[in-house]
Amino acid sequence: MVTRIIVDSEKELAATGSELIVSEAERCASLKGGFSIALSGGKTPRPMHGLLSKEPFLSEMPWDKTDFFWVDERCVPIQNRQSNYGNAKRDFLDKAPVRPGNVHPMPGEMDPETGAREYGEFLIDFFSLSEGQIPVFDLIFLGIGEDGHTASLFPGHDVLDEKERPAAALTGGEPPLDRITLTLPVINRAKKVAFMVSGKSKAGIIKKLFGPNSHDLPALKVRPSDGELVWLLDSDAVSLIE
Ligand code: 6PG
């Protein structure tokens, strides 16, 4: 199932995203006692992350039942403003009653290949899987780059063809950085995947993605096998298709 939610402003987008996270977390926590979410980096989700550390979300979120993971990470020190985990820590994790043991950053401080392998092994262990099985997240939040990348899955990269490993290492982005990313098999097994897209700078890629899909763009490869796909967009992002 694909749901498209269009709101007027970036502020409203952040609130809608926070409401989605909290409602999914409450639902999963009461249904099965836990909630697993993988967060993206970049600028778009940061207003939403900031709202999670404020009322009403601060009180509503079942922090003790939530495990935080990352969709991707740039291999830089946490203090670096490029660090996705570092930014999430600054935006809300350090301001909310999260259990330190429930926060699972990608190891961006070590050799990327080793970090990707270790994170993949951690996911297999966390989700009590055997080798070759695919971790299933309750919710994965994704952004989109102007080139149609998502996570750290960039156009033309071999990692797009990864069928087994849950996480992989690559060099990409502007400026090119060593990165670790979840792979498509994991993203497409999630119970819910939410793209959050904001701003006029993304209107061109949204027009391409929602247009006749002649483009072999990484974001178009996100097709949850039996999960729900939600598009959260503001009016600027859809200004070329609405
Ligand atoms: C990353 C992100 C990446 C991001 C897009 C959009 O670590 O770079 O996970 O996939 O979502 O590049 O980034 P903005 O939100 O900054 O436009």
Side-chain angles (χ1 to χ4, degrees), residues 156-201:
H157 267 260
D158 296 347
V159 69
L160 287 164
D161 301 323
E162 179 59 48
K163 296 284 183 283
E164 277 149 29
R165 290 179 300 162
L170 68 129
T171 302
E174 278 308 325
L177 290 170
D178 285 340
R179 292 161 170 255
I180 299 172
T181 186
L182 293 183
T183 56
L184 281 168
V186 175
I187 293 171
N188 283 329
R189 282 301 308 275
K191 294 181 187 153
K192 185 167 281 190
V193 178
F195 275 111
M196 177 177 263
V197 191
S198 171
K200 282 219 181 302
S201 69

Side-chain angles (χ1 to χ4, degrees), residues 40-45 72 74 84 143-145 149-152 179 202:
S40 273
K43 294 185 296 293
T44 304
D72 63 346
R74 298 85 176 272
N84 293 338
I144 284 188
H149 82 261
T150 189
S152 286
R179 292 161 170 255
K202 301 291 172 69

Side-chain angles (χ1 to χ4, degrees), residues 39 46 49-50 53 68 70 73 77-81 83-96 98 100 103 105:
L39 300 171
R46 298 196 66 179
H49 294 165
S53 67
F68 293 94
W70 272 263
E73 187 55 275
I78 293 170
Q79 299 74 12
N80 186 312
R81 292 293 176 211
S83 167
N84 293 338
Y85 165 60
N87 287 336
K89 200 168 152 36
R90 290 181 278 271
D91 291 343
F92 76 103
L93 293 170
D94 285 350
K95 304 171 186 171
V98 292
V103 179

Side-chain angles (χ1 to χ4, degrees), residues 28-123:
C28 291
S30 58
L31 203 63
K32 60 188 180 80
F35 172 60
S36 59
I37 180 171
L39 300 171
S40 273
K43 294 185 296 293
T44 304
R46 298 196 66 179
M48 171 177 71
H49 294 165
L51 283 183
L52 292 174
S53 67
K54 297 185 178 72
E55 296 302 344
F57 304 111
L58 185 63
S59 303
E60 292 172 354
M61 186 72 189
W63 298 101
D64 60 330
K65 300 258 188 333
T66 299
D67 279 275
F68 293 94
F69 300 82
W70 272 263
V71 166
D72 63 346
E73 187 55 275
R74 298 85 176 272
C75 298
V76 295
I78 293 170
Q79 299 74 12
N80 186 312
R81 292 293 176 211
Q82 294 264 23
S83 167
N84 293 338
Y85 165 60
N87 287 336
K89 200 168 152 36
R90 290 181 278 271
D91 291 343
F92 76 103
L93 293 170
D94 285 350
K95 304 171 186 171
V98 292
R99 282 194 183 151
N102 289 15
V103 179
H104 314 291
M106 289 178 160
E109 67 287 351
M110 62 174 67
D111 157 64
E113 288 292 345
T114 308
R117 189 179 61 254
E118 290 195 1
Y119 202 69
E121 288 166 357
F122 170 73
L123 293 177

